[in-house]
Amino acid sequence: MAIRVSATGDSMLLKPFPDGYPWQDIAQAIESCDVRVTNLEEVISNWDCCASTYCGGQWINAKPEVLPDLQRYGFNVFSCANNHSMDYSYDGIASTMNALDERGIPRAGIGRSLDEASAPVMMDLPNGKRVALISATSTFIDAARAGNERGTIPARPGINPLRIKTKYLVTAEHLAQLREIAAGTYINGERDNARKIGSLPPEVEGSLNFGGHFFVESPDGTEGKVTTCDKRDLDRILAEVRVAAERCDLVLVSIHSHQIRRASYRDPDLFLEEFAHACIDAGAHAVIGGGTHQLKPIEIYGGKPIFYSLGNFIFESGMIPCLPADYWDKYNFDPALTVPEAQSIKTKGGTIGLETDRDNYLSVLPVMEFDDEGSIRSCELVPIELGFERERAFKGLPVLAGAEDAILICDRLNEMSAPYGTALHFDGKVITVTSGRRG
């Protein structure tokens, strides 16, 4: 019996639905599926948790009263690993877990230990099939990583991390200049001393650590950035994928990532390709990405879909009602300013920022059907838009896209996905993935 799966990008719902919002149209597409996934990109609490000194951009929190509205769409499992999961520290992530658990919402990607955050959530469907979801993020502050207990030291709550390693290729001339600057500025002075007494591991041979960034001589003179997955995290996540593949009929992997290859948010970073391919090689049936608010390419690898980013599904970051004192400190604002006043200064009167870019309000809702062998039968994308030009109460909430936006979305996905051998077609209602050759 086939398994139908719907997935969305990031959900940042900060207030209950306004009267008159037609959520039923989106819910109809989602509820046609057996498995219905979204990425919850916020803390759930009653504003009773202390803020972290860091945040995923700004501190994102919503009251538990938004969860019933999120469930109106029909979601039956949440991916939770992202750069906002720990905005309100350990109490905040505990509050989020408790709120989801109290409503019986399955979740993946956060936990009271690394083992719990890493573990797949497994769902038994009414048709007798079992599906697993694994959630991880590559964008986080190091203190957000979950950790396991060791002896008498208890476990640490947090996210399921995918750390990455980055090196920069430069010419021999530029490398020599960097060494000269490092020597003259003592940028590595503290680090070098710490290494002498064994507080840090040895440097990577052949590389220059320049204030925490690693530079190596390019073999052909071509300069650029190279990223790879940290083997510790990659191996751990792939082990969970293999276990899930043995126990379940279908395995989904959600990855939240803000890193980019060069200067465009449309370019998936190299490590993200490595990660997605490795997950499918280990037994995953689809990889669902999010993070940078915009759509990224679609790749069909080994006959399985990879969505490098589905962008936003709900995007209300500009409607946050409360922020910690750290926000005023971060931007050196007058503490007497209200949240709206401070936000207005930060966005230069609403002329800059994520909320001013229409690309952040265009997305798709994939509807995938897999056969008994786990092979994908069909992959249709419902084009949606998040009300970029609508009044404030409705801005950021998804509705079905009109023909003009749907064509724009399809054309953009075709352009981005062409290097991966993927072609898409809009038939006036849905966008269909018609071909994919790579892998």
Side-chain angles (χ1 to χ4, degrees):
M1 185 176 294
I3 301 176
R4 287 174 57 84
V5 176
S6 67
T8 80
D10 303 321
S11 288
M12 194 179 285
L13 181 67
L14 302 186
K15 56 183 179 54
F17 291 163
D19 292 339
Y21 167 53
W23 54 269
Q24 298 90 339
D25 295 339
I26 299 290
Q28 185 176 1
I30 294 172
E31 289 177 339
S32 69
C33 296
D34 305 294
V35 183
R36 307 178 291 275
V37 185
T38 193
N39 184 61
L40 181 69
E41 194 171 14
E42 61 195 29
V43 173
I44 302 294
S45 81
N46 284 304
W47 300 100
D48 52 0
C49 303
C50 69
S52 300
T53 56
Y54 57 86
C55 67
Q58 68 177 0
W59 290 259
I60 303 296
N61 180 83
K63 289 187 175 183
E65 64 191 42
V66 304
L67 291 177
D69 278 350
L70 269 177
Q71 289 182 289
R72 286 196 200 187
Y73 291 115
F75 298 125
N76 59 3
V77 61
F78 283 11
S79 161
C80 296
N82 54 68
N83 55 300
H84 286 288
S85 303
M86 286 281 286
D87 280 1
Y88 282 84
S89 195
Y90 300 109
D91 285 345
I93 202 168
S95 178
T96 302
M97 291 187 287
N98 291 337
L100 297 177
D101 294 347
E102 286 170 7
R103 296 195 65 85
I105 302 173
R107 56 175 171 80
I110 56 176
R112 295 168 181 85
S113 68
L114 180 59
D115 285 345
E116 182 182 337
S118 303
V121 59
M122 299 184 186
M123 302 171 56
D124 292 313
L125 304 180
N127 61 12
K129 299 288 189 179
R130 174 175 279 192
V131 177
L133 171 68
I134 293 168
S135 170
T137 178
S138 65
T139 303
F140 56 91
I141 300 297
D142 195 57
R145 283 192 294 122
N148 285 329
E149 65 178 351
R150 175 82 177 189
T152 61
I153 308 299
R156 181 180 61 248
I159 51 90
N160 181 19
L162 174 64
R163 287 168 287 185
I164 64 173
K165 293 185 178 297
T166 303
K167 64 181 179 182
Y168 298 91
L169 305 180
V170 294
T171 63
E173 178 184 4
H174 283 166
L175 187 60
Q177 291 171 348
L178 286 168
R179 292 189 189 280
E180 183 179 349
I181 294 170
T185 61
Y186 300 100
I187 193 171
N188 295 325
E190 292 181 26
R191 187 175 287 104
D192 290 342
N193 276 328
R195 189 163 289 104
K196 289 176 183 177
I197 62 173
S199 297
L200 287 176
E203 294 284 23
V204 177
E205 188 176 352
S207 70
L208 168 66
N209 184 337
F210 188 89
H213 298 281
F214 290 88
F215 292 83
V216 298
E217 183 178 341
S218 172
D220 61 2
T222 301
E223 297 192 318
K225 181 182 73 169
V226 176
T227 59
T228 55
C229 298
D230 188 303
K231 189 175 186 302
R232 295 167 294 180
D233 289 335
L234 181 61
D235 287 350
R236 175 178 49 78
I237 293 170
L238 293 181
E240 296 288 0
V241 172
R242 294 186 184 99
V243 168
E246 291 175 359
R247 299 178 181 176
C248 300
D249 300 286
L250 205 71
V251 179
L252 309 173
V253 175
S254 171
I255 177 67
H256 191 89
S257 171
H258 283 248
Q259 291 89 353
I260 55 177
R261 187 178 306 185
R262 288 179 284 267
S264 170
Y265 278 112
R266 296 186 183 185
D267 294 334
D269 211 338
L270 292 172
F271 82 89
L272 192 57
E273 291 184 355
E274 175 195 5
F275 175 77
H277 293 176
C279 285
I280 288 176
D281 290 341
H285 296 83
V287 176
I288 303 157
T292 58
H293 304 287
Q294 308 88 3
L295 287 168
K296 281 188 172 70
I298 298 170
E299 178 181 7
I300 305 299
Y301 174 81
K304 308 294 193 301
I306 298 170
F307 303 95
Y308 282 108
S309 175
L310 291 174
N312 293 316
F313 178 70
I314 305 171
F315 187 49
E316 293 187 337
S317 67
M319 300 182 184
I320 194 77
C322 303
L323 286 165
D326 304 86
Y327 178 81
W328 281 259
D329 184 62
K330 178 179 180 180
Y331 294 102
N332 198 28
F333 287 154
D334 182 345
L337 293 173
T338 65
V339 170
E341 289 169 342
Q343 295 275 51
S344 179
I345 294 172
K346 178 175 176 283
T347 63
K348 297 184 178 180
T351 60
I352 63 169
L354 295 172
E355 292 79 20
T356 65
D357 189 343
R358 187 165 176 260
D359 283 358
N360 299 336
Y361 292 79
L362 299 174
S363 187
V364 292
L365 170 67
V367 175
M368 300 165 276
E369 185 169 298
F370 296 86
D371 64 21
D372 286 336
E373 304 302 318
S375 297
I376 192 162
R377 283 181 178 174
S378 63
C379 182
E380 296 180 340
L381 314 176
V382 179
I384 61 175
E385 57 94 3
L386 278 60
F388 178 67
E389 296 178 342
R390 272 178 281 157
E391 60 185 286
R392 181 174 173 81
F394 295 88
K395 187 173 182 178
L397 294 172
V399 297
L400 300 178
E404 184 176 345
D405 280 337
I407 292 170
L408 173 63
I409 291 168
C410 185
D411 289 346
R412 199 162 283 176
L413 281 173
N414 261 319
E415 178 186 350
M416 290 188 289
S417 304
Y420 294 90
T422 306
L424 305 97
H425 171 72
F426 177 57
D427 65 5
K429 185 177 181 181
V430 297
I431 299 169
T432 303
V433 178
T434 58
S435 66
R437 57 168 171 75
R438 193 171 164 186

